[in-house]
Amino acid sequence: MSASALLFHLSDIHFGLEDNRALDWVRDEIVRLRPDAVAITGDMTMRARAREFDAARKWILSLEAPVTVVVGNHDMPYFNPVERFLAPYARFRGMETLIEREIDLPGIAIVPLKTATRAQWRLNWSKGWVTDAALGKCLAALDALPEGTRALVTVHHPLREVGTQGTALTRGGTRALAELARRDVLAVLSGHVHDAFDIVEETPAGPVRMIGAGTLSKRTRSTPPSFNELRWDGDALNVTVRNLEQVPTPAMQIDDVPENALPPRDPGEPVAPVGQVPRTDPPVH
Ligand SMILES: [Fe+2]
Ligand SMILES: [Fe+2]
């Protein structure tokens, strides 16, 4: 009998502006369906505040399934550049072992690829950047998998690099995607966009499937809060976009990754403290 797996792909919970009704429902669904693993693709908090991380830690540790987490741009200390640079992961204490953790299941593995960086030479550091070191670490993990094992690579920012470098969603995304296409990668799972998608991206090395999860926060764009239920039967990977409004999966998914993934500013969302340079663009995912 071939291997199979049930996986939950959650993203952009944004504690601080989380949707508690949706989170209670997701936790109950994990108890009911017993997924083999839960992958959370970043943006656990709104502003990387201690109380937001406390809430995130409490909820994530309450889940009755193996969990792996990648870090999102909102999880870096946004208004504290010193901490962002010197100790960007200090606030994950209590769940450090879940961060960028590989999960190996029979015949399939979840392998993280870091895209949120603490510093970069761009004005908008909230965009993604696949560094040489991060890509090298991910590729080494993929190459070390047992022969025939399929991989799901988790990232926060979709590996989409369009337009000029200034507007690219993820610097180094094109090169990373081509490297993943050379390996036995079933799909790249991402967040950040707040709308779900399931598309195939062509690369010089062949196609790569890119699956995005929506948000479990109140920062919705065009669809209600949702998560992805992934069923792998040893061959095909089927995606259902689960949501409380019973909206069918095709209606939940957008056709393409938006080049400029900027939602409208949320009502009541905090602005920069006095003395800090206010953002001139709307908050990014
Ligand atoms: Fe994000
Ligand atoms: Fe987000």
Side-chain angles (χ1 to χ4, degrees):
M1 195 180 118
S2 63
S4 63
L6 171 63
L7 307 165
F8 279 14
H9 171 200
L10 325 180
S11 205
D12 296 77
I13 303 171
H14 285 294
F15 277 94
L17 210 66
E18 78 277 20
D19 187 315
N20 283 304
R21 181 169 167 250
L23 291 182
D24 288 349
W25 164 67
V26 172
R27 182 160 50 195
D28 289 347
E29 284 300 281
I30 290 171
V31 170
R32 188 174 73 87
L33 293 173
R34 301 246 159 236
D36 298 290
V38 174
I40 302 178
T41 50
D43 277 358
M44 286 169 287
T45 68
M46 267 312 293
R47 287 286 177 269
R49 292 190 184 94
R51 65 173 180 273
E52 295 170 354
F53 271 112
D54 286 345
R57 184 183 308 107
K58 194 172 164 210
W59 188 79
I60 289 168
L61 294 180
S62 79
L63 302 179
E64 295 181 18
V67 177
T68 179
V69 174
V70 287
V71 175
N73 49 297
H74 277 254
D75 302 323
M76 298 304 213
Y78 195 90
F79 294 127
N80 188 336
V82 174
E83 182 183 348
R84 193 173 81 224
F85 193 75
L86 294 178
Y89 287 17
R91 295 179 187 206
F92 295 108
R93 60 182 164 267
M95 57 176 175
E96 306 93 322
T97 56
L98 308 184
I99 305 296
E100 291 159 16
R101 163 204 193 195
E102 178 177 326
I103 292 184
D104 296 301
L105 300 167
I108 193 167
I110 303 175
V111 178
L113 169 59
K114 187 167 77 111
T115 62
T117 61
R118 54 188 166 178
Q120 55 180 292
W121 297 111
R122 293 202 295 184
L123 286 175
N124 190 347
W125 65 271
S126 60
K127 292 186 177 184
W129 183 7
V130 180
T131 63
D132 289 346
L135 182 59
K137 192 176 169 191
C138 175
L139 297 179
L142 291 172
D143 292 341
L145 293 174
E147 178 110 20
T149 300
R150 306 302 307 273
L152 293 168
V153 172
T154 49
V155 295
H156 176 61
H157 302 82
L159 299 178
R160 170 58 74 80
E161 196 166 23
V162 286
T164 66
Q165 184 169 298
T167 60
L169 204 52
T170 305
R171 182 178 168 189
T174 300
R175 183 179 60 125
L177 215 50
E179 288 295 333
L180 298 182
R182 294 191 180 94
R183 289 158 175 91
D184 215 2
V185 172
L186 200 52
V188 179
L189 311 182
S190 59
H192 188 66
V193 172
H194 289 205
D195 272 331
F197 56 85
D198 184 1
I199 61 177
V200 174
E201 186 84 349
E202 294 297 332
T203 84
V208 180
R209 189 171 174 186
M210 304 206 306
I211 296 172
T215 178
L216 285 166
S217 75
K218 292 175 179 161
R219 303 185 84 219
T220 54
R221 283 162 59 93
S222 55
T223 53
S226 69
F227 71 95
N228 286 346
E229 185 180 294
L230 310 179
R231 288 183 183 270
W232 183 64
D233 64 4
D235 179 31
L237 181 71
N238 191 271
V239 180
T240 305
V241 182
R242 303 284 314 278
N243 65 93
L244 277 164
E245 314 296 326
Q246 316 303 333
V247 178
T249 294
M252 286 294 291
Q253 291 172 329
I254 54 175
D255 295 335
D256 199 4
V257 181
E259 178 176 347
N260 192 359
L262 302 178
R265 183 180 287 278
D266 301 305
E269 186 176 335
V271 295
V274 175
Q276 299 277 356
V277 178
R279 292 170 305 182
T280 53
D281 54 3
V284 289
H285 297 158

